[in-house]
Amino acid sequence: MTPDMMCSTDLEGRKIQGDRDPSSEMLMHLEVYRQRPDVQAVVHAHPPIATGFAVAGIPLDRAVLAEVLTTLGSIPIAEYATPSTRELPEAVRKYIKAHDGMLLANHGALTVGTDVYSAYYKMETIEHFAKISLVARLLGRENLISREEVMRLQGLRDSYGIKAPAPICADEDLPQDQAACQVVQAPTSPGSRLVPDVLGQPSDPPALARGTWASFGEISPKPSAKADDGEIRLTYRELSALIEEAIRSLR
Ligand SMILES: [Zn+2]
C-alpha cells in the first residue's frame, strides 16, 4: 500500500478525497471517533498471536506485565460480529469508552490513540503481550501480580503522563461495567513489589533490584535463598544447573 491509495472521509463516511474507496471497516473506525472525542487515530489489524487469543475467546486481562497494566490496563474481547457490517461498531462500542485496545472475537484487534504512532505502538504492545502470555501458558505457569501492586502501578500513570480512558476496576468480585473501568485479574493477597510506593512513603527496595532471580517451586538442588513469602530465588548458575539436570533426566 502506498500513500496515494489512501482516501479521506468526513465523520459520516462521505468521501472527501482519493481515488479508492475507504476500508470496509470504516463504520467501526467512525464509531470509535464518535465515542471517544480524545482519539485522533484508530489502528485495526489481525496480528496472529493476539488474534489467536481472540479466536480462543481468552481476553488479555491478567495482571502479568507492569508496562501493560500502566498503559493499556486490560485488553477485553468485543463479541463476534460480521466484519464490515453495522454489528461490528455495536460490539466495539461496549468497550471503547474504557479501553485503548481490545481484541475482536474471531477477527483481530483494535487500538486507539491521540496520534497514529501512539495507536500503532499499542497494537505492537498487544501482540508482544500475547506472545509472552502464550509462552507463559505453554510453560504452564503465570505468576500474577497482586491487586495491591496493580493499584500501585495504576498510580504511576499520572507520573508518566499516561492518560488512560478509565481506571482499573477496584474489586474484581463485584459485577463490572466494562464501559466504566478496566477488569484486571489479580490476586488479592499481597505479593511481590515491582515498584516503590507512588505515594512517597518509604519502602523496601524493588524486588527486581536484588539481582536476577527465578521462581521455581520445590525443585532440588537447594536454592540459595528463600524469601519470607515462600518464593525461591536462584542465581543464574543454580538455574543453569537445574535446567541441565532436567534435560539429563529427560534423556
Ligand atoms: Zn479486520
Side-chain angles (χ1 to χ4, degrees), residues 70-101:
T70 22
T71 55
L72 287 160
S74 75
I75 300 133
I77 306 182
E79 285 77 23
Y80 179 75
T82 312
S84 81
T85 67
R86 278 267 16 128
E87 291 175 22
L88 194 53
E90 297 282 329
V92 165
R93 187 185 302 153
K94 179 174 169 189
Y95 299 96
I96 197 62
K97 285 249 170 74
H99 300 84
D100 278 354

Side-chain angles (χ1 to χ4, degrees), residues 91-242:
V92 165
R93 187 185 302 153
K94 179 174 169 189
Y95 299 96
I96 197 62
K97 285 249 170 74
H99 300 84
D100 278 354
M102 70 185 77
L103 303 177
L104 308 173
N106 295 74
H107 182 165
L110 177 82
T111 53
V112 303
T114 49
D115 61 70
V116 75
Y117 281 102
S118 135
Y120 166 71
Y121 286 128
K122 283 172 196 164
M123 183 63 73
E124 291 287 340
T125 298
I126 288 183
E127 181 67 353
H128 189 65
F129 183 25
K131 280 182 194 164
I132 290 166
S133 297
L134 177 63
V135 170
R137 289 172 197 215
L138 285 172
L139 292 170
R141 177 181 290 191
E142 272 178 303
N143 290 323
L144 299 193
I145 295 170
S146 73
R147 179 147 298 273
E148 184 193 3
E149 178 66 16
V150 166
M151 290 304 155
R152 207 176 287 126
L153 288 166
Q154 174 168 250
L156 289 180
R157 285 176 172 176
D158 282 345
S159 37
Y160 287 128
I162 296 165
K163 288 190 180 23
I168 291 168
C169 304
D171 188 347
E172 65 186 320
D173 297 332
L174 299 171
Q176 303 297 346
D177 176 5
Q178 299 222 53
C181 62
Q182 302 172 342
V183 175
V184 169
Q185 293 185 49
T188 45
S189 59
S192 62
R193 299 173 63 143
L194 298 176
V195 294
D197 203 313
V198 290
L199 299 174
Q201 289 155 358
S203 59
D204 296 335
L208 288 177
R210 288 177 206 158
T212 310
W213 53 272
S215 167
F216 252 78
E218 294 90 19
I219 306 176
S220 63
K222 239 174 32 205
S224 60
K226 191 167 187 306
D228 297 343
D229 55 8
E231 183 176 70
I232 296 169
R233 301 208 168 96
L234 301 173
T235 63
Y236 255 138
R237 189 192 296 263
E238 289 162 340
L239 182 59
S240 310
L242 274 184

